[in-house]
Amino acid sequence: MRFMVIVKASKDSEAGVMPSEAQLTEMGAYNDALVKAGVMLDGEGLHASAKGVRVRFDGRGRSVTDGPFSETKELIAGFWMWQVRSKEEAIEWLKRAPFTDGEEVELRQVFEMEDFGAAMTPELREQEERQRAELGQLKARG
């Protein structure tokens, strides 16, 4: 099972406050443990919403709104992608995260091809597998 672990934004992250060396060291050690256990597939921190945009789709119309966005509790500061055996395992890993200042982290299961049932035709499955292979090649090139 794959899970996305979503780290919610805070006033500090939205203000561009960077983590200290000690915080980066602690998070690095945690990420090392995730990698060594074969849990972590990917993970990144995100710039503040002031550097982002939102695109609204209305029929064929598109409108773009520049950040920053006001509802900090609705924003994401970073994420991990994990591969685990169960939701309970993901929760146990998440409980070990080096957060101490009231951070809020959301855990969401990622859809797998099997979840789509008959709608995932053999042709669509082949397309999905080809895309994943191409993405793997792009990541390997760095």
Side-chain angles (χ1 to χ4, degrees):
M1 304 177 108
R2 289 180 301 150
F3 283 86
M4 176 176 255
V5 182
I6 303 164
V7 180
K8 300 290 185 114
S10 67
K11 288 181 183 178
D12 282 349
S13 68
E14 278 298 291
V17 176
M18 298 303 287
S20 68
E21 181 179 344
Q23 289 169 316
L24 289 172
T25 299
E26 193 173 10
M27 189 58 73
Y30 178 65
N31 286 339
D32 275 344
L34 291 167
V35 170
K36 287 177 185 170
V39 170
M40 187 169 161
L41 300 174
D42 203 354
E44 301 291 343
L46 303 175
H47 281 273
S49 70
K51 294 184 177 184
V53 300
R54 287 186 176 163
V55 179
R56 178 174 299 277
F57 297 83
D58 185 14
R60 296 226 178 259
R62 308 294 189 258
S63 60
V64 178
T65 304
D66 292 321
F69 307 113
S70 59
E71 289 295 323
T72 302
K73 67 183 181 188
E74 301 293 328
L75 301 175
I76 297 171
F79 70 93
W80 285 284
M81 287 295 294
W82 291 351
Q83 178 80 45
V84 293
R85 289 182 293 279
S86 67
K87 181 178 180 180
E88 292 72 28
E89 181 184 1
I91 292 168
E92 288 306 311
W93 275 106
L94 188 51
K95 286 179 176 179
R96 298 180 206 169
F99 295 122
T100 58
D101 294 325
E103 293 89 348
E104 185 174 355
V105 180
E106 185 175 334
L107 185 65
R108 302 272 301 273
Q109 189 172 350
V110 175
F111 279 107
E112 302 294 346
M113 282 193 274
E114 295 75 31
D115 296 327
F116 295 102
M120 182 58 73
T121 65
E123 296 79 18
L124 291 172
R125 181 179 296 273
E126 183 179 310
Q127 178 185 42
E128 178 82 12
E129 289 169 354
R130 177 185 47 77
Q131 291 167 346
R132 288 185 187 276
E134 289 176 18
L135 286 170
Q137 292 172 0
L138 289 173
K139 279 187 170 185
R141 285 188 253 168

